[in-house]
Amino acid sequence: MSDQREPSVVSGKSFTAVAINCAAKAGEWIKTKLGNYNRLDTKYSSHDLVTEVDKGSEQLIKKLVLTHFPHHSFLGEEGVEPGPEASAQALADKSEAEYLWIVDPIDGTTNFVHGFPFFVVSIALAYKGEVIVGVVYDPMKDELFLAEKGKGAYVSGKRMQVSKEETLSSSLIATGFPADHLYALPLNLKGIQALAPQVRNLRSSGSAALHMAYVAAGRLTGFWEIGLNSWDLAAGSLLVQESGGIVTDTQGKSYHLGVRNVAASNGLMHEPFLKALAVAEATE
Ligand code: IPD
Ligand code: CA
Ligand code: CA
């Protein structure tokens, strides 16, 4: 039965088309603002940046999504008070939503501010708490990563598959330096200290969503970070899963929208990966 209020919702395809359109439009606009933003503010800490471009990107996406799907719910980073408690609460407030769009209008704002070309627009659609569409768009490389639940994941139209490394010693793993320096950063540093000598190498390029997309594309073996938010991870989680990888929290529990401490990998080295973090007491 079609829903009279949402005549254009006939299949997952129209959701996906809107997600792609939003990400492409926002990404193209963000690119024109590189080196050209007007206002830089800090949020939760002096390491947590926001510009008018983050806010403008979110407005653009929100307007487009709600034009197509006026009865859907929307959770965007810039509509939420800064800090981990407010983020968790904002997600809890939307827990009853049937369709929920989860958006990071620029993931990698620090990079955007410095002109370091590694930032994305991240858009996910969850149905009853489960991500069914994930889009991560890198405007600098014009690469669009897309996944639909049960239908695989693609980068610029090409099917993605996670990498094949089976050991830590052959793995290239990414992490982040969280803006929360009280709780998240010290834990992540413990993980970095433990993993650095065990893996082929570590990377930290400043966009959790793009790191997740790179795990999906087989360019990274794994990614972990403490203290992330739903909008950093929702789209990327589906990309990794639909590319044959695994996404859990750092203690090994299955991914859900509330996960803040994430470990994503090709699956083959997930066990030693989690074990190394546990031994280092770097998981919570
Ligand atoms: C940040 C990026 C960064 C990660 C931080 C995030 P933002 O998101 O994903 O890689 O280390 O923890 O907050 O603030 O650029 O949207
Ligand atoms: Ca982010
Ligand atoms: Ca952001």
Side-chain angles (χ1 to χ4, degrees):
M1 280 284 279
S2 68
D3 183 338
Q4 288 241 301
R5 292 169 309 167
E6 295 179 327
S8 64
V9 183
V10 287
S11 77
K13 197 149 186 262
S14 42
F15 298 145
T16 302
V18 171
I20 292 172
N21 192 17
C22 286
K25 280 212 164 74
E28 284 311 310
W29 180 70
I30 291 164
K31 201 170 143 184
T32 68
K33 294 287 177 181
L34 191 67
N36 189 26
Y37 64 88
N38 293 315
R39 202 189 150 108
L40 176 62
D41 291 308
T42 57
K43 298 200 289 184
Y44 185 62
S45 76
S46 59
H47 306 269
D48 190 10
L49 306 181
V50 64
T51 68
E52 87 280 5
V53 185
D54 297 76
K55 293 173 186 168
S57 171
E58 182 158 318
Q59 280 314 309
L60 185 159
I61 296 164
K62 186 172 182 181
K63 209 169 149 192
L64 254 172
V65 164
L66 295 180
T67 299
H68 286 275
F69 309 116
H71 304 289
H72 287 192
S73 296
F74 189 93
L75 176 64
E77 177 178 14
E78 307 310 337
V80 175
E81 289 297 312
E85 288 80 20
S87 301
Q89 189 56 51
L91 181 66
D93 291 345
K94 305 277 183 186
S95 62
E96 298 298 311
E98 190 178 31
Y99 287 99
L100 177 63
W101 292 79
I102 304 165
V103 171
D104 192 334
I106 302 180
D107 186 56
T109 299
T110 305
N111 289 342
F112 170 72
V113 164
H114 287 263
F116 185 92
F118 200 88
F119 50 84
V120 293
V121 178
S122 176
I123 299 178
L125 173 62
Y127 175 69
K128 296 187 174 171
E130 192 183 359
V131 181
I132 56 169
V133 177
V135 173
V136 169
Y137 180 55
D138 171 354
M140 301 308 290
K141 290 191 78 178
D142 189 23
E143 277 194 323
L144 190 122
F145 301 85
L146 162 70
E148 291 178 297
K149 182 91 195 153
K151 294 186 187 168
Y154 296 82
V155 55
S156 301
K158 198 166 164 266
R159 185 92 187 224
M160 292 197 289
Q161 215 180 7
V162 291
S163 68
K164 299 202 174 354
E165 298 84 41
E166 292 183 3
T167 59
L168 280 182
S169 61
S170 59
S171 294
L172 183 64
I173 296 184
T175 187
F177 291 97
D180 168 8
H181 284 195
L182 278 179
Y183 167 74
L185 182 63
L187 275 177
N188 234 47
L189 289 175
K190 278 191 189 176
I192 290 169
Q193 187 151 28
L195 277 165
Q198 298 187 55
V199 297
R200 179 165 284 160
N201 218 321
L202 292 180
R203 295 289 180 263
S204 180
S205 303
S207 166
L210 194 47
H211 282 142
M212 295 282 282
Y214 275 26
V215 173
R219 299 172 188 175
L220 287 167
T221 319
F223 167 72
W224 95 97
E225 188 171 339
I226 303 291
L228 291 169
N229 294 303
S230 56
W231 44 79
D232 301 309
L233 294 172
S237 69
L238 191 62
L239 292 173
V240 173
Q241 288 163 345
E242 288 293 328
S243 301
I246 288 187
V247 187
T248 65
D249 69 11
T250 47
Q251 297 191 318
K253 292 186 210 89
S254 299
Y255 171 80
H256 57 85
L257 290 178
V259 165
R260 302 181 57 80
N261 305 337
V262 77
S265 82
N266 66 1
L268 301 173
M269 42 60 83
H270 210 73
E271 213 180 296
F273 184 24
L274 292 184
K275 194 166 172 212
L277 293 174
V279 168
E281 298 182 350
T283 62
E284 75 169 18

